[in-house]
Amino acid sequence: MAKHEHVRVAVIGSGFGGLGAAVRLRREGITDFVVLERADSVGGTWRDNSYPGCACDVPSHLYSFSFAPNPDWPRTFSGQRHIRAYLEHVTDTFGIRPHLRLNHEVMRMTWDEDELRWDIETSRGSFSADVVVSATGPLSDPKIPDIPGLADFTGKVFHSAQWDHDYDLTGKRVAMVGTGASAIQIVPSIQPKVGKLTLFQRTPPWVMPRVDRAISGPERWLHRQLPFTATARRGILWGIRELQVSAFTKRPDELGLVERLAKANIARSIKDPALRARLTPSYRLGCKRILLSNAYYPALAQPNVDVVASGLKEVRGNVVVGADGTETEVDAIIFGTGFHVTDMPIAPRVIGAEGHSLADRWKNGMEALRGATAAGFPNWMTIIGPNTGLGNSSMILMIESQLNYMADYLRQLDVLGGRAALAVRPSAVNAWNRKVQKRMETTVWKAGGCDSWYLDANGRNTTLWPGTTYEFRRETRTVDLSEYEVLRAPAKPSTSRRSAAARKKEAVQ
């Protein structure tokens, strides 16, 4: 076991959020920090998701840090391998390696109200920190549904985020469960090699063409020689997406034209009217995540693919049974069923000021001031917290806004001086959450007629931001101290004074 280590800041996770926090700390002149990572390398979701066809659905130049532009992106939409390499490059370029504590899974972190610090237990030693920045991310822990009989399945089972590269799918009968972003990339990647592919589709997604191409050598040369051209490219991509926001958040009916384009995309590849009907959504485009692919529909039209328009109900030996009664014998089951998003797995491990876990606090739904700080958890903040997700743009924009907030939070603690902590006022969290939820009522995610992973068990959208990234940047530029209570460590009595009092008492006696 490693010896105990105290740091000013402990960052949890080394994906985009954690590495971004580490870089920002160094740029703020803070070097007394560690990055606690449960895996053996950095990369977060781009390390874990290595399934065939894995790629980003946000343009490369927008899906990268503004402070670390990459002029050499090979494609307009980059694949997993290149994004992971980019994160390794950021780690090296900004000197983050000495701060990494790999294979250190956080088991529990507890607030010490006397010392005003967090005590952190990991799988390889203990730490304490004045401030914790949790960047575990919403797409970190795979979710596999509880399917009767699955434990007794005689074949191979794995989740898309835990791909078994040693298992050869060639000629196999495969069940793909789910039709989210991972599934529409996996299906066309494995369809040519499997013997039979059965897709269990509970709800069809809206799929738009993926306007992807290789970035030419002259383009990359131009971005290297004249960096402002890459900045301009990023700015144009950002601006286009900002202009689209009002259709998602205020006027969902404007998405009707895009729906017609999406239906035309189905018709181009799916000639069978019955199959086309099964693949056409009945909800408003945008209510669930809009997916991008040129290969998904053509793959579904192939003779070795069946689409079961229902969820997976049970498993009987090596037979999978759909909710519609369809029975299919398979050799492998691949789950593309998403992640624990509205029930963050880190939450039960965070114990706050009153001895309650973050999971207890969030049992009726996640909420945090400006997506960062939660009531009852002083000097703790999260990156990509509640209501910071996006439905049409790059999460890197939101992460960088939250890094601004983190930096100012630490500056405020410096100004306060001494042993101090900031505890967000419950009234501030409630006011913020009421405002966010009120704005959510007019969004396509709330009024679009679907049930998505954006919603929690109570039907509230606790994941997405109902506005532009510019609005969020403005809201997180600085910390408003009126929204916080300043905590001071209790004064410790002087040993010499106690001794004098004891001597006086003895003299009287």
Side-chain angles (χ1 to χ4, degrees):
M1 295 288 286
K3 66 178 182 179
H4 179 87
E5 185 176 355
H6 178 80
V7 291
R8 185 180 180 193
V9 182
V11 178
I12 317 299
S14 68
F16 267 100
L19 293 178
V23 172
R24 186 57 182 269
L25 288 171
R26 287 190 60 88
R27 296 179 76 189
E28 292 289 319
I30 299 172
T31 58
D32 184 16
F33 70 90
V34 293
V35 179
L36 302 174
E37 169 55 56
R38 65 183 177 182
D40 59 2
S41 62
V42 303
T45 192
W46 295 105
R47 173 199 59 233
D48 298 340
N49 286 269
S50 60
Y51 58 79
C54 182
C56 189
D57 57 7
V58 175
S60 303
H61 287 86
L62 195 58
Y63 200 77
S64 46
F65 291 120
S66 63
F67 54 79
N70 178 17
D72 291 313
W73 287 116
R75 302 194 65 84
T76 52
F77 290 87
S78 290
Q80 175 262 347
R81 178 169 63 90
H82 294 105
I83 296 173
R84 184 179 181 186
Y86 170 76
L87 290 173
E88 293 280 2
H89 174 73
V90 168
T91 303
D92 291 328
T93 300
F94 291 91
I96 306 304
R97 297 261 177 222
H99 301 278
L100 289 175
R101 302 294 183 271
L102 300 176
N103 297 305
H104 279 67
E105 181 177 3
V106 172
M107 312 306 295
R108 183 182 177 91
M109 60 180 84
T110 307
W111 176 249
D112 186 330
E113 62 183 7
D114 292 326
E115 298 295 332
L116 294 188
R117 72 180 190 188
W118 285 93
D119 292 325
I120 305 167
E121 301 170 21
T122 79
S123 56
R124 297 186 63 179
S126 63
F127 297 79
S128 57
D130 299 329
V131 177
V132 166
V133 177
S134 181
T136 56
L139 307 182
S140 57
D141 285 59
K143 178 186 289 186
I144 293 181
D146 186 14
I147 305 294
L150 181 61
D152 299 322
F153 178 61
T154 56
K156 187 71 177 178
V157 178
F158 53 86
H159 190 278
S160 59
Q162 299 168 328
W163 196 270
D164 189 341
H165 291 277
D166 294 328
Y167 184 75
D168 187 4
L169 291 172
T170 303
K172 297 293 196 303
R173 299 165 299 178
V174 179
M176 180 77 221
V177 183
T179 53
S182 300
I184 72 154
Q185 295 177 344
I186 292 170
V187 166
S189 297
I190 67 173
Q191 175 270 320
K193 69 169 62 174
V194 302
K196 184 73 174 179
L197 178 60
T198 303
L199 176 67
F200 284 87
Q201 170 195 270
R202 190 170 57 181
T203 307
W206 284 108
V207 182
M208 297 292 291
R210 184 181 182 88
V211 187
D212 185 27
R213 65 173 178 83
I215 298 177
S216 67
E219 285 177 275
R220 295 198 298 271
W221 178 88
L222 183 66
H223 293 332
R224 283 194 300 272
Q225 299 302 314
L226 301 173
F228 76 87
T229 61
T231 302
R233 184 174 190 158
R234 177 187 173 90
I236 292 170
L237 292 169
W238 168 77
I240 291 171
R241 281 154 182 77
E242 290 289 274
L243 292 174
Q244 298 170 347
V245 171
S246 64
F248 288 86
T249 60
K250 297 177 182 178
R251 295 181 289 276
D253 288 344
E254 292 182 357
L255 294 165
L257 172 61
V258 187
E259 280 185 15
R260 289 194 289 274
L261 295 174
K263 288 179 180 178
N265 188 40
I266 300 175
R268 274 193 295 270
S269 299
I270 306 298
K271 304 306 179 183
D272 178 3
L275 177 58
R276 193 186 312 150
R278 291 201 298 273
L279 296 176
T280 303
S282 59
Y283 56 88
R284 175 63 78 195
L285 180 141
C287 185
K288 295 168 75 76
R289 184 174 174 182
I290 300 172
L291 307 180
L292 305 178
S293 177
N294 299 324
Y296 180 64
Y297 290 135
L300 296 185
Q302 299 305 308
N304 68 331
V305 179
D306 281 338
V307 177
V308 178
S310 75
L312 178 61
K313 180 182 178 182
E314 63 177 309
V315 179
R316 301 174 189 159
N318 65 340
V319 174
V320 289
V321 183
D324 63 352
T326 301
E327 297 186 7
T328 307
E329 192 170 350
V330 298
D331 303 305
I333 304 174
I334 303 172
F335 285 95
T337 45
F339 301 83
H340 290 274
V341 176
T342 59
D343 54 341
M344 286 187 182
I346 193 69
R349 307 183 186 194
V350 184
I351 311 301
E354 298 175 2
H356 298 297
S357 72
L358 187 61
D360 290 335
R361 283 282 188 172
W362 284 353
K363 63 183 178 182
N364 295 320
M366 302 187 299
E367 53 184 39
L369 177 63
R370 305 176 196 280
T373 53
F377 299 83
N379 279 12
W380 181 93
M381 62 176 57
T382 182
I383 306 296
I384 317 183
N387 291 114
T388 60
L390 295 175
N392 75 314
S393 192
S394 172
M395 279 306 302
I396 311 307
L397 300 169
M398 302 297 277
I399 289 172
E400 290 197 26
S401 292
Q402 290 200 291
L403 298 183
N404 290 340
Y405 196 75
M406 176 198 75
D408 196 56
Y409 191 103
L410 293 167
R411 292 189 205 110
Q412 297 292 349
L413 287 175
D414 283 342
V415 170
L416 290 169
R419 294 167 61 213
L422 291 176
V424 65
R425 299 181 187 276
S427 59
V429 176
N430 292 338
W432 172 264
N433 195 58
R434 283 195 302 270
K435 181 172 70 172
V436 169
Q437 292 303 321
K438 182 178 180 180
R439 293 183 64 179
M440 197 66 72
E441 292 299 321
T442 61
T443 68
V444 68
W445 312 305
K446 185 71 174 180
C450 74
D451 182 16
S452 72
W453 59 264
Y454 299 147
L455 308 180
D456 66 15
N458 300 311
R460 287 197 313 160
N461 190 325
T462 58
T463 58
L464 297 185
W465 168 245
T468 65
T469 61
Y470 174 77
E471 287 178 281
F472 191 76
R473 178 66 58 95
R474 187 180 60 212
E475 294 281 4
T476 53
R477 186 170 291 120
T478 58
V479 170
D480 181 355
L481 281 183
S482 69
E483 296 178 325
Y484 290 85
E485 178 186 357
V486 177
L487 306 181
R488 292 287 184 182
K492 295 182 178 180
S494 168
T495 303
S496 60
R497 289 181 64 184
R498 287 202 308 273
S499 299
R503 287 195 300 271
K504 182 176 180 180
K505 183 177 180 181
E506 291 171 359
V508 171
Q509 291 175 340

